[in-house]
Amino acid sequence: MSIVRGRGSGTLRARGRLAVVLAGLVVLTACGPQAPEPTPYPTPAPTPQVDDAPEVATAFLSDWRFARWGRLYESIYALDRERFDFERVSGLLASFDELALVEDLAWELGSVTPIVLPPQPRPPDQPAPSPSPRPSGQPTEVPAAPTAEPGPTATPIPPDTPLDGPVPALSIPVTLQLTSQIFGQFELDRELVLVAGPESWQVRWSPGLLFPELGPDGVLELTREDPVRGRILASDGTILAQTRDDGVRIYPQEWLAGQTIGYATPATPEDVANAGTPDLREGQLVGRAGLELGADDLLRGRPGFTLWAVPTDGERVAVLERPMEPGADIVTTLRPSLQAVAQSQIANVNEAGTAVIDPRTGDVWALASAPLFNPNAMTLGTTVDGRPLGTPGAAAIRNHATQGTYPTGSSFKVFTLAAALKTGVATPATRMTCSPTWTFSGFTFRNYLNHTLPGLVDLLQAMAFSCNTTYMPLSIMVYEKDPRALTDLLHEFGFGEPSGIRFVPEEPGQLPDWLFYEGHKRWHGGYSPYGPFDQIQLSIGQGEFLGSPLQLANAYAAIGNGGTLWTPRIVTEARLPDGTVIETFEPTVKREISVSDEHLDYVVESMKAVVNYSYGTGFAAFRGFGIQVAGKSGTAETGGPNPNAWFPAIAPADDPQISVATVLVRYPLGTGGDHAAPLVRRVMAQFFSE
């Protein structure tokens, strides 16, 4: 079979090749008186060549593809144009394109086959046959015949007289290959029938050429079935978000994990215009923040569409279908009891964030953020039981556990120690001073309140007491050994880049390293490379460094678990309402930290000293806890009187099962040990009580 492929991308050239079959005239003669004229026969009409048929078919399909309805209509057989006016033909094809959102039409033509159609009325554009011409020189009048029989006359044949005998035609199989925004790619196997017109082949038309189910006068209809938005569930099945029967999205746990859950509201006309897909229509719920936004594609599902052929008599018939896909429930790693405790501890703070993760998998158990946020304020305007809620501001909707990035203060000294051990500039046997002040290149740096430890101290003691004047000189020793050792190690621990957590928004923070200063001007307006003063500031989490609670909790988990940095996971699976799991999300290792187990163990020992030594900054907060905790306080300068109070920690120290990081932002007269550490203790207490 010969195949003609086309996409209707060009205009047909009118070839005008018509084979004219000339019929001879038969003249009858008889002896004696002249006989009457013979009965006239039709004058032969020109017949197009069979080879022209594929070109005619291609032109018809090309006009269809590019909606050249006027040209397409003119190529239809004249009798069919009498039955179907222009509006009916163009309207049906245009409605198909519009309803199905057809983006492209291609085709494959099969072999041309001669066929025979039954006799039919003469087309209006085909002239009636004329009498046969008389030979020249014959008289105009014919004498009467000697017989009594009247002679025949040359009466014209009426236009609606059927043609003589069956009508010759051509059949061309065609596979229509359509691309639709709604139904995707699909094929329709159809047949084009061509008959001879006055000048070329013409296409027989009926609605059945599009869909046979339409009958002679049917129309098309599109119906839509919208899915119910899926639920958001906690790890224990607690419903965190669901859709009521009236279509309103509600949050049964009210304030619990509000920023992490986010909210969904009806789509606006602008949403629909920006979406660029028929799947979204005005009024359909759309995620606006948190998991509602990040997992919107899973939660929303996919509407179903059915294109119906509706004949004038009889039932409608489905001709194209796309099944509805229900919105999926997403199962999160959030643990309601831990989440409740974590956010209750910061509920009265103007700005704060806490992240709680599993050091063994990277699962996120809690993300608490202050000020607190009730998503029902955005959907109901009240609590679920009807109590009024005010309109929350941007600060309340923002998730400070993942999007809040801040200087971390001395909680960063653990990474400085790891870099010193890795480069070999320090060992567990190293002893240094912890003096009230330390001067470098004419600048004097101080300990908090000029505190000091007498004599030489080891690095565990210096960590417990949070000696700036020990770890700043240590960072310079690292810099002199390898200027990039500290910044490269911080990159390994995930700072200055997204953690990779899916479905919730996060900020990457800022790591002021060599590359950073190539593109950022200094305070004096010029550029200068990363240098020793930047190293000093970075060693204690100051300068231009910014990190989030999630990043700190994840990095501390990597220290405790032997060097595995996880990609934090907050969604474990998506499943349909019938329980069918359609997607799972496994724990993912982001990278292995290039610090030896021996050195990481020593870093953990330094963090244990913070809570074990009587002068440790975390000693008071964890006294009598009963489980060994390893952590580090941070009190970061903010440019004003109120610092950021940090405390990241892991427990149990030698085989961590939980990692927590809390920051109280610009907390009045706050310190990490006095104000953040007790909050971390209460979260850990809840965890171990379970």
Side-chain angles (χ1 to χ4, degrees):
M1 179 180 70
S2 64
I3 302 295
V4 179
R5 301 176 186 272
R7 287 189 176 272
S9 58
T11 304
L12 287 177
R13 293 180 295 107
R15 299 175 62 181
R17 296 182 299 160
L18 303 178
V20 182
V21 180
L22 301 178
L25 298 178
V26 180
V27 181
L28 299 178
T29 57
C31 299
Q34 185 172 347
E37 290 185 4
T39 301
Y41 288 88
T43 301
T47 303
Q49 293 185 3
V50 173
D51 290 346
D52 293 340
E55 195 166 359
V56 172
T58 297
F60 176 83
L61 295 170
S62 178
D63 291 339
W64 181 352
R65 181 192 182 213
F66 292 107
R68 296 188 289 247
W69 306 129
R71 283 177 42 169
L72 179 142
Y73 189 71
E74 290 301 317
S75 66
I76 292 175
Y77 191 45
L79 280 180
D80 294 334
R81 279 183 273 141
E82 284 196 334
R83 295 172 56 208
F84 304 101
D85 61 24
F86 174 79
E87 285 73 18
R88 289 174 65 188
V89 175
S90 62
L92 178 64
L93 293 177
S95 70
F96 173 61
D97 287 353
E98 180 180 349
L99 294 175
L101 295 180
V102 175
E103 296 178 314
D104 192 22
L105 168 65
W107 55 86
E108 290 185 0
L109 300 178
S111 299
V112 179
T113 304
I115 59 173
V116 176
L117 302 179
Q120 57 192 10
R122 185 173 301 280
D125 59 353
Q126 184 171 331
S130 58
S132 301
R134 296 194 176 104
S136 59
Q138 285 196 343
T140 306
E141 304 243 350
V142 180
T147 62
E149 273 184 49
T153 61
T155 305
I157 298 175
D160 60 351
T161 302
L163 299 178
D164 295 332
V167 178
L170 300 176
S171 170
I172 306 179
V174 58
T175 298
L176 301 175
Q177 301 162 337
L178 295 118
T179 302
S180 160
Q181 287 188 39
I182 294 177
F183 300 103
Q185 294 182 336
F186 60 95
E187 293 185 349
L188 301 175
D189 292 322
R190 298 293 184 258
E191 178 191 30
L192 288 179
V193 175
L194 276 59
V195 295
E199 296 182 357
S200 65
W201 295 108
Q202 293 181 325
V203 178
R204 295 302 311 267
W205 166 262
S206 74
L209 180 60
L210 183 58
F211 293 109
E213 296 86 351
L214 286 165
D217 293 298
V219 295
L220 294 172
E221 177 181 287
L222 184 73
T223 58
R224 172 186 178 122
E225 181 184 8
D226 282 325
V228 175
R229 189 174 181 87
R231 301 174 300 171
I232 300 177
L233 306 174
S235 59
D236 64 355
T238 299
I239 298 173
L240 302 173
Q242 66 182 34
T243 304
R244 288 193 320 205
D245 291 341
D246 62 1
V248 176
R249 194 70 165 172
I250 63 169
Y251 303 90
Q253 308 309 316
E254 303 285 0
W255 304 89
L256 191 72
Q259 295 92 344
T260 302
I261 303 306
Y263 65 97
T265 57
T268 65
E270 292 75 17
D271 293 327
V272 175
N274 294 332
T277 170
D279 289 359
L280 182 65
R281 69 174 175 180
E282 190 174 348
Q284 188 176 357
L285 289 174
V286 176
R288 305 296 184 184
L291 287 165
E292 290 277 32
L293 173 61
D296 190 59
D297 288 344
L298 292 170
L299 293 164
R300 192 192 304 174
R302 197 164 180 245
F305 292 92
T306 302
L307 186 67
W308 302 87
V310 186
T312 52
D313 52 350
E315 297 294 325
R316 66 181 186 176
V317 180
V319 291
L320 291 174
E321 291 185 84
R322 190 185 88 178
M324 183 269 289
E325 298 176 9
D329 295 341
I330 61 169
V331 181
T332 72
T333 58
L334 297 175
R335 298 175 62 163
S337 59
L338 283 180
Q339 178 69 40
V341 171
Q343 67 185 49
S344 70
Q345 298 305 302
I346 61 174
N348 297 321
V349 180
N350 290 332
E351 184 176 346
T354 295
V356 184
I357 70 173
D358 183 349
R360 300 160 298 185
T361 63
D363 283 358
V364 176
W365 288 335
L367 293 173
S369 180
L372 302 185
F373 169 63
N374 188 333
N376 290 305
M378 311 301 289
T379 59
L380 296 173
T382 66
T383 61
V384 174
D385 60 6
R387 287 171 291 157
L389 291 170
T391 302
I397 298 173
R398 183 179 179 84
N399 193 333
H400 296 282
T402 62
Q403 294 176 283
T405 58
Y406 314 96
T408 57
S410 293
S411 61
F412 237 48
K413 288 173 181 170
V414 296
F415 305 108
T416 302
L417 175 58
L421 296 170
K422 180 181 176 182
T423 57
V425 301
T427 70
T430 299
R431 298 291 185 271
M432 300 178 68
T433 60
C434 177
S435 56
T437 62
W438 172 69
T439 301
F440 177 79
S441 191
F443 290 86
T444 298
F445 300 92
R446 300 177 181 277
N447 279 334
Y448 177 69
L449 298 179
N450 287 341
H451 286 169
T452 184
L453 289 175
L456 295 176
V457 298
D458 63 29
L459 298 178
L460 304 185
Q461 294 170 309
M463 187 71 74
F465 200 61
S466 197
C467 292
N468 292 340
T469 58
T470 302
Y471 279 90
M472 286 179 173
L474 188 62
S475 72
I476 290 300
M477 294 164 60
V478 173
Y479 182 87
E480 291 172 347
K481 180 68 176 291
D482 181 352
R484 303 193 183 207
L486 177 60
T487 55
D488 287 349
L489 185 60
L490 291 173
H491 270 297
E492 288 190 45
F493 276 104
F495 295 107
E497 65 182 25
S499 72
I501 188 172
R502 297 183 61 182
F503 305 118
V504 293
E506 67 167 333
E507 290 294 329
Q510 186 168 278
L511 178 56
D513 59 2
W514 297 77
L515 185 61
F516 175 85
Y517 284 115
E518 287 180 0
H520 288 77
K521 292 181 179 180
R522 300 286 187 160
W523 61 270
H524 50 69
Y527 294 96
S528 58
Y530 182 89
F533 282 98
D534 302 310
Q535 180 97 344
I536 292 170
Q537 293 293 326
L538 187 57
S539 71
I540 59 169
Q542 294 284 179
E544 297 190 75
F545 174 81
L546 300 172
S548 71
L550 179 64
Q551 288 176 325
L552 263 292
N554 204 29
Y556 269 56
I559 293 174
N561 66 23
T564 298
L565 185 74
W566 293 97
T567 296
R569 179 178 70 154
I570 197 168
V571 175
T572 59
E573 66 180 26
R575 62 192 185 204
L576 299 180
D578 64 3
T580 302
V581 176
I582 61 172
E583 194 166 357
T584 58
F585 306 94
E586 300 295 333
T588 304
V589 174
K590 186 168 187 177
R591 68 176 63 96
E592 296 292 339
I593 306 301
S594 62
V595 178
S596 70
D597 290 345
E598 178 185 1
H599 291 155
L600 288 175
D601 288 345
Y602 187 74
V603 174
V604 172
E605 289 298 316
S606 75
M607 294 158 56
K608 289 164 61 176
V610 171
V611 299
N612 289 341
Y613 290 9
S614 60
Y615 51 83
T617 56
F619 177 75
F622 288 94
R623 178 185 294 177
F625 188 63
I627 294 174
Q628 179 63 68
V629 175
K632 179 66 187 80
S633 62
T635 305
E637 296 178 4
T638 60
N642 300 324
N644 295 336
W646 282 90
F647 202 90
I650 55 176
D654 296 329
D655 183 20
Q657 300 172 32
I658 185 172
S659 179
V660 185
T662 289
V663 60
L664 308 176
V665 181
R666 293 180 294 278
Y667 195 79
L669 303 178
T671 67
D674 292 338
H675 300 94
L679 309 187
V680 172
R681 172 178 176 148
R682 294 185 188 109
V683 173
M684 288 186 168
Q686 177 65 37
F687 171 76
F688 288 111
S689 72
E690 297 176 1

